[in-house]
Amino acid sequence: MMMMMMMMMKEGTCNYDDEMTSRFNAESYSGILLELVEGNLGKTSTSYPQGEVLRIKRHNIIRSMIANALRSKNLDVHEEVHCIADGGSNRRIDIIAINRNKQTAKIIDPTIRFEISATQPSEVNEEKKKIYEPTIQYLSAKYNIEKITVTGLFFGARGTIPKAFVNWREKYKLKRDLQDAIVTSIIKFSVAIFRQHL
């Protein structure tokens, strides 16, 4: 197992299964990533409050990367938007990207979690729809938009990029550089979180 992981890291790509792939900067991180792959990151990123600041910063950087990429497509993009759900509760969406020409918008919620299964991307997408679809009526009125949809984007804490994100990126004609930058940032912050607890 260890030898196989080292070989995959040396090549720069680690295929977990048919649904998810991950890219590593093997030269910089291979030693520490061996520990991450064995599951220690799952413990350090969720069990220690010291890692919370880094976890939030990691999320915010990834959110802004995606938002800026969408802005480059001439969409009206807003981040960290307060809104009210149908039941009256307060919510805060990560990104809303508005196409003024088509009078449509997309709520986008990127989520970084420790990888546990190939079904996580679809599970996260459904979870985010349940959370944010009740805010559509409020946001439609706020931005004068006819149609709003919700997409939850899952990223693995070890740098895993699901095919669902690749398909989403290609659909919106976003550059591959975005994907590579996301992977690099996630790994850097995950390693920083892990190092706090060595």
Side-chain angles (χ1 to χ4, degrees):
M1 174 67 179
M2 283 290 191
M3 184 62 70
M4 185 180 297
M5 191 58 64
M6 284 298 291
M7 288 172 65
M8 289 188 288
M9 286 181 178
K10 188 175 181 182
E11 293 170 0
T13 301
C14 177
N15 290 317
Y16 285 93
D17 49 48
D18 290 338
E19 294 298 320
M20 305 168 83
T21 58
S22 177
R23 288 186 174 274
F24 295 127
N25 181 335
E27 245 178 69
S28 302
Y29 304 113
S30 59
I32 294 172
L33 281 171
L34 281 174
E35 295 296 326
L36 302 187
V37 170
E38 290 301 313
N40 289 328
L41 177 61
K43 300 171 187 174
T44 58
S45 63
T46 58
S47 304
Y48 297 91
Q50 301 98 315
E52 184 67 7
V53 172
L54 284 173
R55 188 188 67 78
I56 292 170
K57 188 173 181 181
R58 178 182 65 184
H59 172 269
N60 290 345
I61 285 174
I62 301 308
R63 183 201 69 226
S64 291
M65 282 182 179
I66 294 169
N68 288 333
L70 291 166
R71 286 187 183 104
S72 73
K73 297 300 177 182
N74 297 317
L75 297 173
D76 182 13
V77 179
H78 303 269
E79 299 177 61
E80 289 289 299
V81 177
H82 171 266
C83 52
I84 299 172
D86 293 339
S89 62
N90 290 294
R91 307 273 167 90
R92 187 174 295 275
I93 60 172
D94 279 334
I95 302 167
I96 184 166
I98 304 167
N99 186 325
R100 291 293 181 187
N101 293 330
K102 296 183 178 179
Q103 284 295 293
T104 61
K106 177 80 75 175
I107 295 169
I108 301 156
D109 193 279
T111 299
I112 305 165
R113 293 180 185 167
F114 182 66
E115 304 92 324
I116 56 173
S117 76
T119 60
Q120 273 180 290
S122 59
E123 290 168 0
V124 164
N125 188 39
E126 290 305 312
E127 173 190 322
K128 299 304 179 179
K129 285 181 178 182
K130 288 179 183 177
I131 294 171
Y132 297 114
E133 281 181 348
T135 68
I136 287 176
Q137 185 176 350
Y138 175 88
L139 291 167
S140 293
K142 179 176 182 176
Y143 292 108
N144 193 26
I145 295 295
E146 295 175 5
K147 182 181 179 183
I148 300 178
T149 56
V150 179
T151 299
L153 297 175
F154 167 79
F155 302 99
R158 293 177 290 188
T160 304
I161 296 290
K163 286 185 179 178
F165 173 75
V166 175
N167 294 339
W168 181 86
R169 175 182 63 77
E170 291 174 348
K171 176 182 177 181
Y172 289 95
K173 296 180 172 58
L174 303 178
K175 294 181 180 178
R176 170 62 188 265
D177 291 354
L178 170 65
Q179 185 172 314
D180 294 339
I182 288 172
V183 170
T184 301
S185 292
I186 288 175
I187 291 175
K188 283 182 178 178
F189 275 97
S190 293
V191 168
I193 292 167
F194 180 75
R195 278 180 169 163
Q196 284 194 358
H197 311 291
L198 289 177

PDB file of all heavy atoms in Angstrom, residues 156-192:
ATOM      1  N   GLY A 156     -12.010  17.515  -1.710  1.00  0.00           N
ATOM      2  CA  GLY A 156     -11.418  16.722  -0.638  1.00  0.00           C
ATOM      3  C   GLY A 156     -10.311  17.467   0.069  1.00  0.00           C
ATOM      4  O   GLY A 156      -9.541  18.206  -0.549  1.00  0.00           O
ATOM      5  N   ALA A 157     -10.194  17.260   1.377  1.00  0.00           N
ATOM      6  CA  ALA A 157      -9.173  17.942   2.176  1.00  0.00           C
ATOM      7  C   ALA A 157      -7.758  17.496   1.819  1.00  0.00           C
ATOM      8  O   ALA A 157      -6.788  18.134   2.221  1.00  0.00           O
ATOM      9  CB  ALA A 157      -9.433  17.706   3.665  1.00  0.00           C
ATOM     10  N   ARG A 158      -7.628  16.382   1.081  1.00  0.00           N
ATOM     11  CA  ARG A 158      -6.314  15.925   0.623  1.00  0.00           C
ATOM     12  C   ARG A 158      -6.072  16.323  -0.827  1.00  0.00           C
ATOM     13  O   ARG A 158      -5.191  15.795  -1.484  1.00  0.00           O
ATOM     14  CB  ARG A 158      -6.196  14.405   0.791  1.00  0.00           C
ATOM     15  CG  ARG A 158      -6.185  13.974   2.241  1.00  0.00           C
ATOM     16  CD  ARG A 158      -6.151  12.467   2.390  1.00  0.00           C
ATOM     17  NE  ARG A 158      -7.421  11.872   1.991  1.00  0.00           N
ATOM     18  CZ  ARG A 158      -7.727  10.590   2.167  1.00  0.00           C
ATOM     19  NH1 ARG A 158      -6.854   9.780   2.736  1.00  0.00           N
ATOM     20  NH2 ARG A 158      -8.892  10.123   1.794  1.00  0.00           N
ATOM     21  N   GLY A 159      -6.859  17.255  -1.343  1.00  0.00           N
ATOM     22  CA  GLY A 159      -6.656  17.738  -2.703  1.00  0.00           C
ATOM     23  C   GLY A 159      -7.454  17.008  -3.757  1.00  0.00           C
ATOM     24  O   GLY A 159      -7.158  17.110  -4.939  1.00  0.00           O
ATOM     25  N   THR A 160      -8.466  16.278  -3.328  1.00  0.00           N
ATOM     26  CA  THR A 160      -9.272  15.513  -4.269  1.00  0.00           C
ATOM     27  C   THR A 160     -10.211  16.431  -5.058  1.00  0.00           C
ATOM     28  O   THR A 160     -10.924  17.239  -4.479  1.00  0.00           O
ATOM     29  CB  THR A 160     -10.112  14.458  -3.528  1.00  0.00           C
ATOM     30  OG1 THR A 160      -9.243  13.640  -2.755  1.00  0.00           O
ATOM     31  CG2 THR A 160     -10.884  13.584  -4.513  1.00  0.00           C
ATOM     32  N   ILE A 161     -10.187  16.266  -6.370  1.00  0.00           N
ATOM     33  CA  ILE A 161     -11.090  17.004  -7.250  1.00  0.00           C
ATOM     34  C   ILE A 161     -12.051  16.007  -7.896  1.00  0.00           C
ATOM     35  O   ILE A 161     -11.634  15.159  -8.679  1.00  0.00           O
ATOM     36  CB  ILE A 161     -10.312  17.744  -8.354  1.00  0.00           C
ATOM     37  CG1 ILE A 161      -9.405  18.812  -7.759  1.00  0.00           C
ATOM     38  CG2 ILE A 161     -11.273  18.359  -9.373  1.00  0.00           C
ATOM     39  CD1 ILE A 161     -10.115  20.000  -7.172  1.00  0.00           C
ATOM     40  N   PRO A 162     -13.342  16.067  -7.582  1.00  0.00           N
ATOM     41  CA  PRO A 162     -14.303  15.135  -8.185  1.00  0.00           C
ATOM     42  C   PRO A 162     -14.552  15.465  -9.653  1.00  0.00           C
ATOM     43  O   PRO A 162     -14.406  16.615 -10.081  1.00  0.00           O
ATOM     44  CB  PRO A 162     -15.576  15.341  -7.373  1.00  0.00           C
ATOM     45  CG  PRO A 162     -15.191  16.177  -6.215  1.00  0.00           C
ATOM     46  CD  PRO A 162     -13.965  16.933  -6.600  1.00  0.00           C
ATOM     47  N   LYS A 163     -14.970  14.477 -10.404  1.00  0.00           N
ATOM     48  CA  LYS A 163     -15.339  14.700 -11.803  1.00  0.00           C
ATOM     49  C   LYS A 163     -16.508  15.665 -11.909  1.00  0.00           C
ATOM     50  O   LYS A 163     -16.639  16.382 -12.904  1.00  0.00           O
ATOM     51  CB  LYS A 163     -15.683  13.369 -12.472  1.00  0.00           C
ATOM     52  CG  LYS A 163     -14.463  12.511 -12.766  1.00  0.00           C
ATOM     53  CD  LYS A 163     -14.837  11.262 -13.542  1.00  0.00           C
ATOM     54  CE  LYS A 163     -13.607  10.432 -13.861  1.00  0.00           C
ATOM     55  NZ  LYS A 163     -13.957   9.189 -14.582  1.00  0.00           N
ATOM     56  N   ALA A 164     -17.344  15.692 -10.874  1.00  0.00           N
ATOM     57  CA  ALA A 164     -18.486  16.617 -10.883  1.00  0.00           C
ATOM     58  C   ALA A 164     -17.999  18.062 -10.989  1.00  0.00           C
ATOM     59  O   ALA A 164     -18.607  18.878 -11.689  1.00  0.00           O
ATOM     60  CB  ALA A 164     -19.327  16.432  -9.615  1.00  0.00           C
ATOM     61  N   PHE A 165     -16.896  18.389 -10.301  1.00  0.00           N
ATOM     62  CA  PHE A 165     -16.363  19.748 -10.401  1.00  0.00           C
ATOM     63  C   PHE A 165     -15.741  19.994 -11.771  1.00  0.00           C
ATOM     64  O   PHE A 165     -15.906  21.071 -12.357  1.00  0.00           O
ATOM     65  CB  PHE A 165     -15.321  20.039  -9.321  1.00  0.00           C
ATOM     66  CG  PHE A 165     -14.654  21.376  -9.519  1.00  0.00           C
ATOM     67  CD1 PHE A 165     -15.329  22.547  -9.221  1.00  0.00           C
ATOM     68  CD2 PHE A 165     -13.377  21.458 -10.046  1.00  0.00           C
ATOM     69  CE1 PHE A 165     -14.736  23.789  -9.432  1.00  0.00           C
ATOM     70  CE2 PHE A 165     -12.769  22.691 -10.267  1.00  0.00           C
ATOM     71  CZ  PHE A 165     -13.444  23.856  -9.947  1.00  0.00           C
ATOM     72  N   VAL A 166     -15.024  18.994 -12.287  1.00  0.00           N
ATOM     73  CA  VAL A 166     -14.412  19.122 -13.614  1.00  0.00           C
ATOM     74  C   VAL A 166     -15.505  19.405 -14.648  1.00  0.00           C
ATOM     75  O   VAL A 166     -15.369  20.306 -15.488  1.00  0.00           O
ATOM     76  CB  VAL A 166     -13.633  17.856 -13.995  1.00  0.00           C
ATOM     77  CG1 VAL A 166     -13.097  17.949 -15.426  1.00  0.00           C
ATOM     78  CG2 VAL A 166     -12.481  17.624 -13.013  1.00  0.00           C
ATOM     79  N   ASN A 167     -16.599  18.657 -14.571  1.00  0.00           N
ATOM     80  CA  ASN A 167     -17.725  18.869 -15.499  1.00  0.00           C
ATOM     81  C   ASN A 167     -18.336  20.253 -15.327  1.00  0.00           C
ATOM     82  O   ASN A 167     -18.680  20.917 -16.307  1.00  0.00           O
ATOM     83  CB  ASN A 167     -18.793  17.790 -15.289  1.00  0.00           C
ATOM     84  CG  ASN A 167     -18.290  16.404 -15.659  1.00  0.00           C
ATOM     85  OD1 ASN A 167     -17.326  16.266 -16.415  1.00  0.00           O
ATOM     86  ND2 ASN A 167     -18.929  15.386 -15.111  1.00  0.00           N
ATOM     87  N   TRP A 168     -18.472  20.692 -14.067  1.00  0.00           N
ATOM     88  CA  TRP A 168     -19.031  22.019 -13.788  1.00  0.00           C
ATOM     89  C   TRP A 168     -18.119  23.106 -14.343  1.00  0.00           C
ATOM     90  O   TRP A 168     -18.583  24.054 -14.973  1.00  0.00           O
ATOM     91  CB  TRP A 168     -19.213  22.181 -12.280  1.00  0.00           C
ATOM     92  CG  TRP A 168     -19.800  23.489 -11.871  1.00  0.00           C
ATOM     93  CD1 TRP A 168     -21.117  23.821 -11.798  1.00  0.00           C
ATOM     94  CD2 TRP A 168     -19.073  24.664 -11.482  1.00  0.00           C
ATOM     95  NE1 TRP A 168     -21.260  25.125 -11.379  1.00  0.00           N
ATOM     96  CE2 TRP A 168     -20.025  25.664 -11.181  1.00  0.00           C
ATOM     97  CE3 TRP A 168     -17.710  24.957 -11.351  1.00  0.00           C
ATOM     98  CZ2 TRP A 168     -19.659  26.937 -10.764  1.00  0.00           C
ATOM     99  CZ3 TRP A 168     -17.346  26.226 -10.943  1.00  0.00           C
ATOM    100  CH2 TRP A 168     -18.310  27.201 -10.652  1.00  0.00           C
ATOM    101  N   ARG A 169     -16.812  22.957 -14.108  1.00  0.00           N
ATOM    102  CA  ARG A 169     -15.843  23.940 -14.604  1.00  0.00           C
ATOM    103  C   ARG A 169     -15.889  24.035 -16.125  1.00  0.00           C
ATOM    104  O   ARG A 169     -15.870  25.137 -16.701  1.00  0.00           O
ATOM    105  CB  ARG A 169     -14.428  23.556 -14.146  1.00  0.00           C
ATOM    106  CG  ARG A 169     -13.328  24.447 -14.712  1.00  0.00           C
ATOM    107  CD  ARG A 169     -11.961  23.990 -14.258  1.00  0.00           C
ATOM    108  NE  ARG A 169     -11.614  22.669 -14.715  1.00  0.00           N
ATOM    109  CZ  ARG A 169     -11.224  22.381 -15.953  1.00  0.00           C
ATOM    110  NH1 ARG A 169     -11.163  23.323 -16.879  1.00  0.00           N
ATOM    111  NH2 ARG A 169     -10.889  21.139 -16.278  1.00  0.00           N
ATOM    112  N   GLU A 170     -15.957  22.894 -16.783  1.00  0.00           N
ATOM    113  CA  GLU A 170     -15.992  22.878 -18.244  1.00  0.00           C
ATOM    114  C   GLU A 170     -17.293  23.459 -18.781  1.00  0.00           C
ATOM    115  O   GLU A 170     -17.309  24.139 -19.813  1.00  0.00           O
ATOM    116  CB  GLU A 170     -15.774  21.452 -18.750  1.00  0.00           C
ATOM    117  CG  GLU A 170     -14.361  20.959 -18.500  1.00  0.00           C
ATOM    118  CD  GLU A 170     -14.160  19.499 -18.868  1.00  0.00           C
ATOM    119  OE1 GLU A 170     -15.171  18.791 -19.110  1.00  0.00           O
ATOM    120  OE2 GLU A 170     -12.995  19.050 -18.897  1.00  0.00           O
ATOM    121  N   LYS A 171     -18.384  23.231 -18.066  1.00  0.00           N
ATOM    122  CA  LYS A 171     -19.677  23.770 -18.483  1.00  0.00           C
ATOM    123  C   LYS A 171     -19.641  25.297 -18.538  1.00  0.00           C
ATOM    124  O   LYS A 171     -20.196  25.919 -19.451  1.00  0.00           O
ATOM    125  CB  LYS A 171     -20.765  23.308 -17.510  1.00  0.00           C
ATOM    126  CG  LYS A 171     -22.139  23.886 -17.806  1.00  0.00           C
ATOM    127  CD  LYS A 171     -23.159  23.424 -16.768  1.00  0.00           C
ATOM    128  CE  LYS A 171     -24.525  24.062 -17.005  1.00  0.00           C
ATOM    129  NZ  LYS A 171     -25.516  23.631 -15.984  1.00  0.00           N
ATOM    130  N   TYR A 172     -18.975  25.895 -17.559  1.00  0.00           N
ATOM    131  CA  TYR A 172     -18.889  27.363 -17.501  1.00  0.00           C
ATOM    132  C   TYR A 172     -17.623  27.892 -18.181  1.00  0.00           C
ATOM    133  O   TYR A 172     -17.326  29.081 -18.065  1.00  0.00           O
ATOM    134  CB  TYR A 172     -18.972  27.833 -16.047  1.00  0.00           C
ATOM    135  CG  TYR A 172     -20.366  27.651 -15.492  1.00  0.00           C
ATOM    136  CD1 TYR A 172     -20.700  26.513 -14.767  1.00  0.00           C
ATOM    137  CD2 TYR A 172     -21.370  28.584 -15.743  1.00  0.00           C
ATOM    138  CE1 TYR A 172     -21.987  26.322 -14.288  1.00  0.00           C
ATOM    139  CE2 TYR A 172     -22.650  28.409 -15.267  1.00  0.00           C
ATOM    140  CZ  TYR A 172     -22.955  27.268 -14.538  1.00  0.00           C
ATOM    141  OH  TYR A 172     -24.232  27.078 -14.080  1.00  0.00           O
ATOM    142  N   LYS A 173     -16.906  26.991 -18.864  1.00  0.00           N
ATOM    143  CA  LYS A 173     -15.715  27.377 -19.627  1.00  0.00           C
ATOM    144  C   LYS A 173     -14.683  28.095 -18.764  1.00  0.00           C
ATOM    145  O   LYS A 173     -14.062  29.081 -19.188  1.00  0.00           O
ATOM    146  CB  LYS A 173     -16.108  28.222 -20.841  1.00  0.00           C
ATOM    147  CG  LYS A 173     -16.962  27.478 -21.856  1.00  0.00           C
ATOM    148  CD  LYS A 173     -17.319  28.366 -23.041  1.00  0.00           C
ATOM    149  CE  LYS A 173     -17.997  27.575 -24.160  1.00  0.00           C
ATOM    150  NZ  LYS A 173     -19.220  26.894 -23.746  1.00  0.00           N
ATOM    151  N   LEU A 174     -14.494  27.586 -17.544  1.00  0.00           N
ATOM    152  CA  LEU A 174     -13.478  28.125 -16.649  1.00  0.00           C
ATOM    153  C   LEU A 174     -12.153  27.409 -16.909  1.00  0.00           C
ATOM    154  O   LEU A 174     -12.123  26.208 -17.174  1.00  0.00           O
ATOM    155  CB  LEU A 174     -13.903  27.942 -15.195  1.00  0.00           C
ATOM    156  CG  LEU A 174     -15.247  28.566 -14.820  1.00  0.00           C
ATOM    157  CD1 LEU A 174     -15.585  28.269 -13.373  1.00  0.00           C
ATOM    158  CD2 LEU A 174     -15.257  30.066 -15.084  1.00  0.00           C
ATOM    159  N   LYS A 175     -11.069  28.135 -16.815  1.00  0.00           N
ATOM    160  CA  LYS A 175      -9.759  27.587 -17.169  1.00  0.00           C
ATOM    161  C   LYS A 175      -9.318  26.475 -16.237  1.00  0.00           C
ATOM    162  O   LYS A 175      -9.650  26.466 -15.055  1.00  0.00           O
ATOM    163  CB  LYS A 175      -8.713  28.707 -17.174  1.00  0.00           C
ATOM    164  CG  LYS A 175      -8.917  29.744 -18.259  1.00  0.00           C
ATOM    165  CD  LYS A 175      -7.832  30.802 -18.202  1.00  0.00           C
ATOM    166  CE  LYS A 175      -8.027  31.845 -19.296  1.00  0.00           C
ATOM    167  NZ  LYS A 175      -6.999  32.899 -19.216  1.00  0.00           N
ATOM    168  N   ARG A 176      -8.529  25.554 -16.771  1.00  0.00           N
ATOM    169  CA  ARG A 176      -7.978  24.457 -15.979  1.00  0.00           C
ATOM    170  C   ARG A 176      -7.087  24.992 -14.853  1.00  0.00           C
ATOM    171  O   ARG A 176      -6.924  24.356 -13.808  1.00  0.00           O
ATOM    172  CB  ARG A 176      -7.184  23.525 -16.899  1.00  0.00           C
ATOM    173  CG  ARG A 176      -6.340  22.470 -16.201  1.00  0.00           C
ATOM    174  CD  ARG A 176      -7.210  21.532 -15.383  1.00  0.00           C
ATOM    175  NE  ARG A 176      -6.404  20.650 -14.581  1.00  0.00           N
ATOM    176  CZ  ARG A 176      -6.059  19.420 -14.954  1.00  0.00           C
ATOM    177  NH1 ARG A 176      -6.451  18.935 -16.110  1.00  0.00           N
ATOM    178  NH2 ARG A 176      -5.322  18.664 -14.166  1.00  0.00           N
ATOM    179  N   ASP A 177      -6.506  26.177 -15.051  1.00  0.00           N
ATOM    180  CA  ASP A 177      -5.660  26.784 -14.017  1.00  0.00           C
ATOM    181  C   ASP A 177      -6.404  26.920 -12.695  1.00  0.00           C
ATOM    182  O   ASP A 177      -5.799  26.821 -11.622  1.00  0.00           O
ATOM    183  CB  ASP A 177      -5.187  28.168 -14.459  1.00  0.00           C
ATOM    184  CG  ASP A 177      -4.191  28.102 -15.604  1.00  0.00           C
ATOM    185  OD1 ASP A 177      -3.791  26.979 -15.963  1.00  0.00           O
ATOM    186  OD2 ASP A 177      -3.819  29.171 -16.141  1.00  0.00           O
ATOM    187  N   LEU A 178      -7.710  27.166 -12.754  1.00  0.00           N
ATOM    188  CA  LEU A 178      -8.513  27.287 -11.535  1.00  0.00           C
ATOM    189  C   LEU A 178      -8.451  25.996 -10.736  1.00  0.00           C
ATOM    190  O   LEU A 178      -8.228  26.006  -9.525  1.00  0.00           O
ATOM    191  CB  LEU A 178      -9.966  27.623 -11.887  1.00  0.00           C
ATOM    192  CG  LEU A 178     -10.975  27.537 -10.731  1.00  0.00           C
ATOM    193  CD1 LEU A 178     -10.666  28.578  -9.667  1.00  0.00           C
ATOM    194  CD2 LEU A 178     -12.400  27.684 -11.252  1.00  0.00           C
ATOM    195  N   GLN A 179      -8.641  24.888 -11.422  1.00  0.00           N
ATOM    196  CA  GLN A 179      -8.619  23.578 -10.775  1.00  0.00           C
ATOM    197  C   GLN A 179      -7.271  23.319 -10.110  1.00  0.00           C
ATOM    198  O   GLN A 179      -7.199  22.879  -8.959  1.00  0.00           O
ATOM    199  CB  GLN A 179      -8.906  22.512 -11.826  1.00  0.00           C
ATOM    200  CG  GLN A 179      -9.038  21.101 -11.299  1.00  0.00           C
ATOM    201  CD  GLN A 179      -9.512  20.165 -12.399  1.00  0.00           C
ATOM    202  OE1 GLN A 179     -10.454  20.491 -13.131  1.00  0.00           O
ATOM    203  NE2 GLN A 179      -8.870  19.033 -12.527  1.00  0.00           N
ATOM    204  N   ASP A 180      -6.187  23.609 -10.829  1.00  0.00           N
ATOM    205  CA  ASP A 180      -4.852  23.374 -10.290  1.00  0.00           C
ATOM    206  C   ASP A 180      -4.575  24.271  -9.085  1.00  0.00           C
ATOM    207  O   ASP A 180      -3.977  23.836  -8.096  1.00  0.00           O
ATOM    208  CB  ASP A 180      -3.792  23.621 -11.373  1.00  0.00           C
ATOM    209  CG  ASP A 180      -3.894  22.614 -12.511  1.00  0.00           C
ATOM    210  OD1 ASP A 180      -4.466  21.529 -12.294  1.00  0.00           O
ATOM    211  OD2 ASP A 180      -3.414  22.918 -13.621  1.00  0.00           O
ATOM    212  N   ALA A 181      -5.031  25.524  -9.156  1.00  0.00           N
ATOM    213  CA  ALA A 181      -4.826  26.456  -8.046  1.00  0.00           C
ATOM    214  C   ALA A 181      -5.608  26.019  -6.809  1.00  0.00           C
ATOM    215  O   ALA A 181      -5.118  26.136  -5.676  1.00  0.00           O
ATOM    216  CB  ALA A 181      -5.246  27.868  -8.460  1.00  0.00           C
ATOM    217  N   ILE A 182      -6.812  25.501  -7.020  1.00  0.00           N
ATOM    218  CA  ILE A 182      -7.618  25.004  -5.898  1.00  0.00           C
ATOM    219  C   ILE A 182      -6.924  23.845  -5.204  1.00  0.00           C
ATOM    220  O   ILE A 182      -6.811  23.807  -3.969  1.00  0.00           O
ATOM    221  CB  ILE A 182      -9.029  24.599  -6.382  1.00  0.00           C
ATOM    222  CG1 ILE A 182      -9.851  25.848  -6.712  1.00  0.00           C
ATOM    223  CG2 ILE A 182      -9.750  23.743  -5.330  1.00  0.00           C
ATOM    224  CD1 ILE A 182     -11.179  25.557  -7.378  1.00  0.00           C
ATOM    225  N   VAL A 183      -6.431  22.894  -5.986  1.00  0.00           N
ATOM    226  CA  VAL A 183      -5.740  21.732  -5.413  1.00  0.00           C
ATOM    227  C   VAL A 183      -4.528  22.173  -4.600  1.00  0.00           C
ATOM    228  O   VAL A 183      -4.329  21.730  -3.462  1.00  0.00           O
ATOM    229  CB  VAL A 183      -5.315  20.748  -6.527  1.00  0.00           C
ATOM    230  CG1 VAL A 183      -4.400  19.669  -5.967  1.00  0.00           C
ATOM    231  CG2 VAL A 183      -6.536  20.114  -7.165  1.00  0.00           C
ATOM    232  N   THR A 184      -3.715  23.057  -5.175  1.00  0.00           N
ATOM    233  CA  THR A 184      -2.507  23.519  -4.491  1.00  0.00           C
ATOM    234  C   THR A 184      -2.844  24.207  -3.173  1.00  0.00           C
ATOM    235  O   THR A 184      -2.223  23.939  -2.142  1.00  0.00           O
ATOM    236  CB  THR A 184      -1.717  24.489  -5.397  1.00  0.00           C
ATOM    237  OG1 THR A 184      -1.373  23.817  -6.604  1.00  0.00           O
ATOM    238  CG2 THR A 184      -0.447  24.959  -4.713  1.00  0.00           C
ATOM    239  N   SER A 185      -3.855  25.074  -3.179  1.00  0.00           N
ATOM    240  CA  SER A 185      -4.235  25.793  -1.962  1.00  0.00           C
ATOM    241  C   SER A 185      -4.781  24.862  -0.894  1.00  0.00           C
ATOM    242  O   SER A 185      -4.447  24.994   0.285  1.00  0.00           O
ATOM    243  CB  SER A 185      -5.272  26.873  -2.287  1.00  0.00           C
ATOM    244  OG  SER A 185      -4.694  27.895  -3.068  1.00  0.00           O
ATOM    245  N   ILE A 186      -5.621  23.920  -1.306  1.00  0.00           N
ATOM    246  CA  ILE A 186      -6.183  22.973  -0.335  1.00  0.00           C
ATOM    247  C   ILE A 186      -5.080  22.182   0.334  1.00  0.00           C
ATOM    248  O   ILE A 186      -5.046  22.034   1.564  1.00  0.00           O
ATOM    249  CB  ILE A 186      -7.205  22.028  -1.008  1.00  0.00           C
ATOM    250  CG1 ILE A 186      -8.484  22.795  -1.347  1.00  0.00           C
ATOM    251  CG2 ILE A 186      -7.530  20.843  -0.089  1.00  0.00           C
ATOM    252  CD1 ILE A 186      -9.497  21.974  -2.127  1.00  0.00           C
ATOM    253  N   ILE A 187      -4.145  21.680  -0.452  1.00  0.00           N
ATOM    254  CA  ILE A 187      -3.057  20.864   0.113  1.00  0.00           C
ATOM    255  C   ILE A 187      -2.192  21.700   1.051  1.00  0.00           C
ATOM    256  O   ILE A 187      -1.844  21.255   2.154  1.00  0.00           O
ATOM    257  CB  ILE A 187      -2.207  20.230  -1.002  1.00  0.00           C
ATOM    258  CG1 ILE A 187      -3.027  19.167  -1.729  1.00  0.00           C
ATOM    259  CG2 ILE A 187      -0.935  19.602  -0.427  1.00  0.00           C
ATOM    260  CD1 ILE A 187      -2.339  18.564  -2.932  1.00  0.00           C
ATOM    261  N   LYS A 188      -1.844  22.912   0.649  1.00  0.00           N
ATOM    262  CA  LYS A 188      -1.008  23.771   1.494  1.00  0.00           C
ATOM    263  C   LYS A 188      -1.659  24.011   2.849  1.00  0.00           C
ATOM    264  O   LYS A 188      -1.010  23.908   3.891  1.00  0.00           O
ATOM    265  CB  LYS A 188      -0.739  25.100   0.793  1.00  0.00           C
ATOM    266  CG  LYS A 188       0.313  25.026  -0.293  1.00  0.00           C
ATOM    267  CD  LYS A 188       0.555  26.392  -0.918  1.00  0.00           C
ATOM    268  CE  LYS A 188       1.651  26.311  -1.972  1.00  0.00           C
ATOM    269  NZ  LYS A 188       1.868  27.631  -2.631  1.00  0.00           N
ATOM    270  N   PHE A 189      -2.953  24.345   2.838  1.00  0.00           N
ATOM    271  CA  PHE A 189      -3.631  24.617   4.103  1.00  0.00           C
ATOM    272  C   PHE A 189      -3.849  23.344   4.913  1.00  0.00           C
ATOM    273  O   PHE A 189      -3.744  23.362   6.143  1.00  0.00           O
ATOM    274  CB  PHE A 189      -4.959  25.335   3.850  1.00  0.00           C
ATOM    275  CG  PHE A 189      -4.807  26.816   3.720  1.00  0.00           C
ATOM    276  CD1 PHE A 189      -4.718  27.413   2.478  1.00  0.00           C
ATOM    277  CD2 PHE A 189      -4.724  27.621   4.849  1.00  0.00           C
ATOM    278  CE1 PHE A 189      -4.558  28.777   2.354  1.00  0.00           C
ATOM    279  CE2 PHE A 189      -4.570  28.997   4.742  1.00  0.00           C
ATOM    280  CZ  PHE A 189      -4.480  29.579   3.479  1.00  0.00           C
ATOM    281  N   SER A 190      -4.139  22.239   4.237  1.00  0.00           N
ATOM    282  CA  SER A 190      -4.329  20.982   4.953  1.00  0.00           C
ATOM    283  C   SER A 190      -3.033  20.550   5.624  1.00  0.00           C
ATOM    284  O   SER A 190      -3.040  20.050   6.755  1.00  0.00           O
ATOM    285  CB  SER A 190      -4.830  19.897   3.995  1.00  0.00           C
ATOM    286  OG  SER A 190      -6.137  20.203   3.541  1.00  0.00           O
ATOM    287  N   VAL A 191      -1.924  20.732   4.937  1.00  0.00           N
ATOM    288  CA  VAL A 191      -0.620  20.404   5.522  1.00  0.00           C
ATOM    289  C   VAL A 191      -0.340  21.313   6.711  1.00  0.00           C
ATOM    290  O   VAL A 191       0.154  20.865   7.751  1.00  0.00           O
ATOM    291  CB  VAL A 191       0.504  20.526   4.460  1.00  0.00           C
ATOM    292  CG1 VAL A 191       1.876  20.479   5.113  1.00  0.00           C
ATOM    293  CG2 VAL A 191       0.383  19.404   3.442  1.00  0.00           C
ATOM    294  N   ALA A 192      -0.685  22.597   6.595  1.00  0.00           N
ATOM    295  CA  ALA A 192      -0.490  23.533   7.709  1.00  0.00           C
ATOM    296  C   ALA A 192      -1.321  23.117   8.914  1.00  0.00           C
ATOM    297  O   ALA A 192      -0.852  23.167  10.056  1.00  0.00           O
ATOM    298  CB  ALA A 192      -0.855  24.942   7.270  1.00  0.00           C
TER     299      ALA A 192
END
